[in-house]
Amino acid sequence: MTETPTPDPQETAAAAPEQDAPVAEEQAPETADAPAATTAAEGSEAAAADAEGAEGEAPTESTADRLARLEEEGDIAADYLEELLDIADLDGDIDIDVDGDRASVEIRGAEQLGRLNKPKGELMDALQELTRLAVQTRTGNRSRLMLDIGGFRAEHKGDLETQAEEAVEQARSGGEPVALRPMNPFERKVVHDVAKREGLRSESDGDGKGRHVVIYPAS
């Protein structure tokens, strides 16, 4: 088995703030029945896309073991990001948490990083993929860790939920499927969750950068 090299913060720090990350491609279909924004590493995001909407792939583990595993992921991610920020001479504090079935890490107080991350969150997703790879290299397991920069993801999620709710209402009133704009895996999962909550069926359609969610009216 060939060991996956750990991403070197010294090699990525200088480029990270200017990185123009391409939209992730995803191979696995998504539906609302399936249980983190554009990313920099298309291959790794495609492999992780299944995990955005799927639960239960990991072997059964106790609550204590799961919590310990996720806390370890958070610690590894924090060490990696702190080193990256130091090398790039960027300010920022790292907050670690556990959100459901994944580790959650947020870079707070990073004004320059926050400006570079807007408007689409491309920098955040590029750093998330590098951080997931660093965690996977240390633990040997694929990580579903979610990274946020200055609350961007939480704010963006609220906007997405509003769009999804409007599409749900349109599907109900018009009686026709409603296709939303192309989205990345994180965005599509938010829309699927809203559709499921409202009792409607949703599916992902299209390939690559054109992959989007279609919400269907009740049958």
Side-chain angles (χ1 to χ4, degrees):
M1 176 177 178
T2 303
E3 182 178 355
T4 305
T6 303
D8 188 348
Q10 297 188 22
E11 294 178 358
T12 60
E18 293 123 15
Q19 186 157 0
D20 186 10
V23 175
E25 295 186 4
E26 179 187 19
Q27 303 301 322
E30 302 173 14
T31 69
D33 294 331
T38 311
T39 107
E42 292 186 354
S44 58
E45 184 62 32
D50 296 341
E52 298 292 346
E55 301 287 348
E57 293 183 2
T60 302
E61 60 182 346
S62 68
T63 300
D65 288 343
R66 178 181 61 82
L67 185 59
R69 173 175 58 81
L70 297 178
E71 288 177 344
E72 180 188 15
E73 287 190 13
D75 289 338
I76 295 171
D79 290 342
Y80 178 77
L81 290 169
E82 285 173 353
E83 183 177 358
L84 195 64
L85 292 174
D86 287 344
I87 294 171
D89 196 23
L90 293 171
D91 294 329
D93 297 321
I94 310 295
D95 287 349
I96 307 171
D97 198 1
V98 173
D99 184 6
D101 61 348
R102 66 181 70 197
S104 175
V105 179
E106 180 174 2
I107 304 176
R108 294 183 177 272
E111 294 183 4
Q112 183 178 356
L113 206 59
R115 289 194 299 269
L116 293 169
N117 185 53
K118 295 180 178 180
K120 296 183 178 180
E122 294 172 336
L123 175 61
M124 175 186 67
D125 290 303
L127 290 176
Q128 175 176 279
E129 290 310 306
L130 290 171
T131 305
R132 284 179 171 182
L133 182 57
V135 172
Q136 178 177 338
T137 302
R138 288 278 301 276
T139 65
N141 298 314
R142 188 177 70 185
S143 172
R144 298 181 61 212
L145 175 144
M146 294 295 287
L147 175 67
D148 199 358
I149 296 177
F152 177 88
R153 194 180 294 281
E155 179 181 344
H156 189 45
K157 182 179 179 181
D159 294 338
L160 287 169
E161 288 177 335
T162 298
Q163 294 179 38
E165 289 166 355
E166 292 173 352
V168 165
E169 182 58 31
Q170 185 179 346
R172 282 174 172 163
S173 61
E176 297 289 338
V178 176
L180 285 83
R181 63 173 175 81
M183 295 179 176
N184 58 57
F186 167 75
E187 294 172 322
R188 292 196 299 271
K189 184 179 185 303
V190 172
V191 174
H192 286 312
D193 288 345
V194 171
K196 184 176 182 180
R197 184 185 70 205
E198 296 297 326
L200 296 188
R201 179 172 63 91
S202 64
E203 295 181 356
S204 287
D205 192 17
D207 297 311
K209 295 182 179 180
R211 196 157 176 79
H212 59 280
V213 177
V214 179
I215 297 178
Y216 296 86
S219 55

